[in-house]
């Protein structure tokens, strides 16, 4: 009798283990980003993608019981990648715009950004009004690109694959200024000598995650998790880790 009991117990435990093993294989949440946009996303010395977006996505994935996987791609391919289902979600310091909202759904906003102007110290450009007739460096496909091309004409903008390359072009004298989001602007100005950010700001915008139109289920789950993280103070904590209050 004892033997049978022990055997039965062993069988039950084996079954439980097997079930455990199955639930341990978590569903993957694939996030696309463009990891040259500090402090929202950048690559550390071990080639890991870190930053505010990576940490927010990891916190959301944890709440959803999913495993986060991050893919680094060109910024201007992110919307297509998510709407085609190649990735599940975009977190890339991406601004909510009406045009993009035609192609994807945006989550609730988790941060704000401001388009600012970086110039060389001693530049004749002092305010936004001085940009007319100047060569403006931008990251291709960003709102900085879209606004400047709209306001100053296609010929006024010089497009680069990322903000760092646009800043390099500014240092080499190939462009007169760079229009980019304020936080990466600060990081680039800190990392490069002889540059400054103009006091006058261009445009304020909201950052949100982008999800395929069809994937309403993920959008709802994402927003619920995000709201919880906001209420728990987790979003502020992540942002505070990367952006020091002035
Ligand atoms: N906020 C701007 C936009 O949405 C720039 C974002 C660039 N992000 C990046 N990860 N490179 O167009």
């Amino acid at each position: 009798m004892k033997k049978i009991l022990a055997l039965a117990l062993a069988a039950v435990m084996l079954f439980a283990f097997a079930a455990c093993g199955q639930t341990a294989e978590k569903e993957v949440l694939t996030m696309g980003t463009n990891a040259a946009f500090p402090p929202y996303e950048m690559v550390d010395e071990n080639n890991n993608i870190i930053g505010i977006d990576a940490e927010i996505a990891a916190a959301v994935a944890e709440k959803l019981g999913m495993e986060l996987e991050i893919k680094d791609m060109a910024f201007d391919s992110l919307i297509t990648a998510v709407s085609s289902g190649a990735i599940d979600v975009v977190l890339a310091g991406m601004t909510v715009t009406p045009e993009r909202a035609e192609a994807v759904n945006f989550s609730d906003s988790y941060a704000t950004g401001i388009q600012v102007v970086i110039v060389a110290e001693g530049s004749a450009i002092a305010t936004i009004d001085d940009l007319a007739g100047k060569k403006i460096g931008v990251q291709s496909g960003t709102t900085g690109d879209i606004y400047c091309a709209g306001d100053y004409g296609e010929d006024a903008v010089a497009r680069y694959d990322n903000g760092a390359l646009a800043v390099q072009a500014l240092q080499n004298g190939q462009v007169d200024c760079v229009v980019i989001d304020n936080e990466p602007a600060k990081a680039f100005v800190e990392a490069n000598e002889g540059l400054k950010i103009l006091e006058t700001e261009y445009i304020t915008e909201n950052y949100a995650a982008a999800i395929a139109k069809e994937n309403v289920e993920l959008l709802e789950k994402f927003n619920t998790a995000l709201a919880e993280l906001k209420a728990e103070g987790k979003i502020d904590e992540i942002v505070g880790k990367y952006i020091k209050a002035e």
Side-chain angles (χ1 to χ4, degrees):
M1 188 62 194
K2 265 199 178 147
K3 221 177 186 176
I4 292 173
L5 252 172
L7 261 171
L9 200 72
V12 165
M13 280 172 72
L14 233 151
F15 190 78
F17 263 124
C20 252
Q22 272 186 356
T23 51
E25 252 175 55
K26 289 187 191 165
E27 208 186 320
V28 175
L29 179 72
T30 313
M31 157 185 156
T33 196
N34 173 253
F37 196 70
Y40 288 93
E41 39 267 338
M42 58 268 189
V43 177
D44 73 3
E45 60 279 3
N46 302 318
N47 245 352
N48 291 318
I49 297 174
I50 58 163
I52 294 170
D53 286 335
E55 291 207 23
I56 290 178
V60 168
E62 199 189 332
K63 284 216 179 270
L64 303 187
M66 295 172 89
E67 191 182 318
L68 181 69
E69 196 180 287
I70 305 180
K71 285 190 184 166
D72 191 10
M73 33 215 287
F75 183 79
D76 53 15
S77 69
L78 289 168
I79 293 278
T80 313
V82 75
S83 51
S84 72
I87 54 174
D88 300 314
V89 62
V90 174
L91 273 90
M94 183 174 272
T95 304
V96 178
T97 71
E99 293 76 22
R100 289 173 182 164
E102 276 173 27
V104 294
N105 279 331
F106 279 106
S107 72
D108 295 329
S109 180
Y110 60 86
T112 55
I114 304 166
Q115 295 298 311
V116 296
V117 185
I118 308 176
V119 295
E121 273 167 17
S123 163
I125 301 175
T127 77
I128 301 291
D129 303 326
D130 302 327
L131 290 193
K134 297 290 188 301
K135 200 80 183 167
I136 309 166
V138 296
Q139 179 180 13
S140 186
T142 59
T143 46
D145 176 2
I146 297 160
Y147 300 145
C148 288
D151 288 350
Y152 304 102
E154 279 289 318
D155 291 343
V157 301
R159 300 189 166 99
Y160 298 90
D161 284 345
N162 60 55
L165 289 173
V167 168
Q168 206 174 304
L170 174 61
Q171 291 217 299
N172 296 339
Q174 288 156 326
V175 296
D176 301 306
C177 63
V178 168
V179 170
I180 193 163
D181 307 50
N182 56 332
E183 288 302 333
K186 281 189 218 162
F188 292 137
V189 166
E190 240 166 64
N192 293 276
E193 252 167 59
L195 301 179
K196 63 173 186 187
I197 299 170
L198 292 190
E199 299 276 337
T200 51
E201 294 161 350
Y202 195 14
I203 288 167
T204 302
E205 31 192 40
N206 289 315
Y207 294 167
I211 294 170
K213 287 265 184 214
E214 304 76 52
N215 205 349
V216 183
E217 193 193 331
L218 180 61
L219 180 71
E220 280 168 8
K221 287 203 278 186
F222 191 98
N223 278 335
T224 305
L226 185 64
E228 284 175 23
L229 291 166
K230 281 181 185 171
E232 290 160 9
K234 184 72 185 167
I235 301 293
D236 285 343
E237 183 192 316
I238 293 170
V239 171
K241 190 171 148 188
Y242 289 92
I243 301 176
K244 300 281 165 244
E246 270 141 53

